Amino acid sequence: MKTIKYLVAGLLLASLSVPAMAQTSQADIDAITKVIVDAKGDAVATKDQVKEFKKAHKKDAVALAALGRAFLEAKNYQMAEEIANLAIKANAKSAEGYILLGDIASAQDDGGKAAGFYEQGTYYEPTNPTSYVRYATVYQKVDPDGAVAMLEKLRAVKPDYPVDAAAGRMYSRNGQLKSAMAHYDKVADPTTIEDYILFDYALTAYALEDYDKAVSLAQKGIQKYPSYGAFNRVVLYASDKQKNYPTAVEYGDKLFAATDTVKYTASDYTYYADALLNVGRIDDAISAYKHISEVDPENKEVNKLISDAYVKAKKFPEAVAAYEAYLAAKGDECTYKEYDNFADIYLEESEAATDEAAKKAALKKAADIYGQIAEKYDYAAVYALFKQANFYHAINPDLKAGLALPYYKKLIDKIESQPEKSAGDLKKLGTAYQYLAVHYIQNDKVVDAKQWAAKLLEVRPDDETAKQIMNLK
């Protein structure tokens, strides 16, 4: 069997395969494991305690394998291997020593060697499910079907083992979510499977956008394993996706009140805050967003999320301050779109304002941002200058006063200087030409008005206003 590279994720192997210890030896195992781990696997420093343990459990393959696994955890592979061989000698009909040898090979990225040891375990102790599951796990990336075939062998010798759940977990870890779900769905009663596998089942349903199933599975998990707080995460996410915000908030509250060792993520706070926003708890949402930086210090989006929340709360100075912090964090990564969104804050402020002066002041700030865009991003200058001119026209719609005049002239200069003009460019030119033509005719400057009316007819040959101006004496 050729070597397969297999990376062990932390101590997942230990969590999957540590067998149930006899009650009489569990305290001894816990004690010796602590000694070895605290000594960082130093065989000399732990010699006396290890000797005593081996003497007391010389016929107990399970206990000896646990001793070896303690050295494995401490990354002393040589000692772990020696003790694995002792476990094999202690009981030739036990798979524990072979499982440990497989774990050692896996920890050293030799998946082929690991699979060989796990396969031996299935021969020496056919009813020990760990060997089969281990083999399937290590082999899944190169031959998922072969891995499942090994699990089917397990079903044949141990019909009560949740093989379909194990296969679902295997496919899930390999990123084959539809295959994972097909196996998970064969499990008659999801509450009979272990907590972390049921969690993966629910998470797989969520990833496949089957939100009803994800919620149902996670709620079953909460009932069966109330201390496994991460089930609340699935309900939070799925309910938020379904826009069932009250439920999302309910389970978000539970997630953040969990008593187990849930490690919170930026996504946890993001989904929770979104749900809070949508039930009107805006201050709580802002507070949740502020926690993102604690778990993800490099997150550059957090201040934008906070800004959006402040906009929803109509707290525009705070929204502007947060958005400016967002722009500063993005730095050179900013595109014109970020500034476009910044201008939108002032548009929201203008619409929310109750007096005309405040409305116009907010519009002017938005218009000035478009002026910045035109200067910073030449590729977006036509778009930005058009927006800037339109905003100044909105601030004062009196064409005779011509507040927007200099901005439409900038737009005209920019478009006319381009060697090629799109249909959109020509449409914008028409708007600008018309503004200038009407402005000058209202100020009795017929010559100037005709100059711009003639240009307007070049892009809008049927424009009636332009024709009337051209017919003036």
Side-chain angles (χ1 to χ4, degrees):
M1 183 185 299
K2 68 179 183 178
T3 300
I4 310 159
K5 295 295 285 180
Y6 175 67
L7 179 62
V8 179
L11 296 177
L12 182 58
L13 286 175
S15 69
L16 287 174
S17 70
V18 174
M21 305 298 175
Q23 194 64 38
T24 53
S25 64
Q26 184 62 60
D28 292 348
I29 289 165
D30 291 343
I32 195 65
T33 298
K34 185 176 188 309
V35 167
I36 292 168
V37 172
D38 288 350
K40 298 181 180 179
D42 189 328
V44 176
T46 60
K47 181 177 66 173
D48 292 340
Q49 294 96 323
V50 169
K51 182 179 179 180
E52 224 177 276
F53 184 92
K54 288 194 292 188
K55 183 178 179 181
H57 303 284
K58 60 184 178 181
K59 297 294 185 182
D60 188 345
V62 171
L64 290 171
L67 172 64
R69 189 161 281 106
F71 278 108
L72 171 59
E73 185 176 341
K75 294 183 170 57
N76 185 335
Y77 302 128
Q78 182 179 344
M79 282 297 296
E81 187 172 341
E82 286 181 15
I83 295 169
N85 287 317
L86 284 179
I88 291 171
K89 289 179 182 179
N91 186 350
K93 294 182 179 180
S94 171
E96 296 303 327
Y98 295 104
I99 293 169
L100 177 54
L101 288 173
D103 290 351
I104 296 165
S106 293
Q108 297 177 90
D109 292 331
D110 193 339
K113 187 176 180 181
F117 283 126
Y118 296 140
E119 192 167 17
Q120 286 186 66
T122 67
Y123 298 144
Y124 287 102
E125 190 180 357
T127 58
N128 187 328
T130 303
S131 300
Y132 298 87
V133 174
R134 263 305 187 277
Y135 178 95
T137 301
V138 81
Y139 213 57
Q140 61 178 321
K141 290 191 176 180
V142 293
D143 185 6
D145 292 335
V148 171
M150 178 60 80
L151 292 176
E152 290 301 330
K153 288 183 181 180
L154 171 59
R155 193 197 301 272
V157 298
K158 199 171 179 62
D160 60 333
Y161 188 83
V163 169
D164 293 312
R169 169 70 170 159
M170 184 197 69
Y171 275 116
S172 170
R173 291 181 64 195
N174 202 28
Q176 298 183 43
L177 300 186
K178 290 184 178 180
S179 295
M181 186 58 69
H183 283 277
Y184 274 141
D185 283 345
K186 293 177 183 178
V187 177
D189 182 359
T191 62
T192 62
I193 57 181
E194 293 176 80
D195 51 10
Y196 73 94
I197 297 180
L198 179 53
F199 175 73
D200 187 72
Y201 186 6
L203 204 58
T204 301
Y206 171 80
L208 292 172
E209 299 183 1
D210 190 343
Y211 301 128
D212 286 337
K213 180 179 286 186
V215 169
S216 175
L217 289 167
Q219 288 176 332
K220 285 181 171 69
I222 291 167
Q223 292 172 359
K224 179 70 179 290
Y225 306 106
S227 64
Y228 199 102
F231 281 114
N232 295 297
R233 172 181 286 132
V234 178
V235 185
L236 164 61
Y237 287 20
S239 297
D240 188 72
K241 288 286 190 181
Q242 293 176 307
K243 302 187 185 306
N244 183 355
Y245 300 117
T247 298
V249 167
E250 177 188 350
Y251 284 87
D253 289 342
K254 292 177 180 178
L255 173 65
F256 290 104
T259 56
D260 66 355
T261 56
V262 174
K263 185 176 181 181
Y264 300 120
T265 68
S267 294
D268 293 340
Y269 290 111
T270 301
Y271 278 103
Y272 185 43
D274 184 67
L276 288 166
L277 278 176
N278 281 284
V279 297
R281 288 170 55 182
I282 296 175
D283 289 341
D284 289 336
I286 292 169
S287 177
Y289 281 135
K290 288 180 178 179
H291 281 294
I292 291 175
S293 296
E294 296 172 6
V295 297
D296 186 7
E298 302 301 315
N299 191 307
K300 294 181 180 179
E301 301 296 317
V302 59
N303 283 304
K304 181 181 184 303
L305 296 170
I306 292 170
S307 177
D308 291 344
Y310 277 127
V311 168
K312 195 159 189 173
K314 309 297 183 187
K315 295 181 178 181
F316 297 107
E318 293 89 344
V320 168
Y323 203 88
E324 287 174 337
Y326 165 69
L327 292 175
K330 293 277 285 188
D332 292 339
E333 295 177 21
C334 286
T335 68
Y336 84 93
K337 288 289 188 182
E338 276 76 28
Y339 286 90
D340 200 2
N341 292 334
F342 191 16
D344 286 343
I345 296 174
Y346 289 114
L347 291 182
E348 293 265 5
E349 184 177 13
S350 177
E351 291 175 4
T354 55
D355 66 89
E356 200 62 27
K359 285 180 181 292
K360 290 182 177 181
L363 279 180
K364 183 179 183 304
K365 289 176 180 176
D368 290 344
I369 288 175
Y370 284 107
Q372 293 177 44
I373 293 174
E375 292 176 8
K376 289 173 69 71
Y377 306 100
D378 186 66
Y379 66 88
V382 169
Y383 164 79
L385 289 170
F386 185 66
K387 296 279 281 190
Q388 185 182 34
N390 287 346
F391 280 133
Y392 273 105
H393 179 46
I395 291 168
N396 186 351
D398 183 356
L399 271 70
K400 185 175 183 178
L403 183 63
L405 186 70
Y407 305 102
Y408 279 120
K409 282 186 174 180
K410 282 184 182 180
L411 174 65
I412 290 169
D413 290 343
K414 181 63 181 176
I415 296 176
E416 287 185 341
S417 69
Q418 295 180 165
E420 295 183 4
K421 301 170 184 61
S422 68
D425 291 340
L426 294 176
K427 188 175 181 180
K428 291 179 176 66
L429 266 181
T431 301
Y433 289 154
Q434 185 180 58
Y435 185 97
L436 269 66
V438 175
H439 165 76
Y440 284 117
I441 201 66
Q442 288 189 359
N443 283 279
D444 299 323
K445 294 183 179 181
V446 177
V447 174
D448 290 331
K450 284 189 173 183
Q451 173 192 344
W452 296 109
K455 285 180 173 288
L456 177 55
L457 287 171
E458 291 176 9
V459 296
R460 293 185 193 167
D462 298 326
D463 190 281
E464 291 300 325
T465 300
K467 289 178 181 179
Q468 290 175 18
I469 292 172
M470 294 302 293
N471 288 331
L472 293 172
K473 301 297 184 182

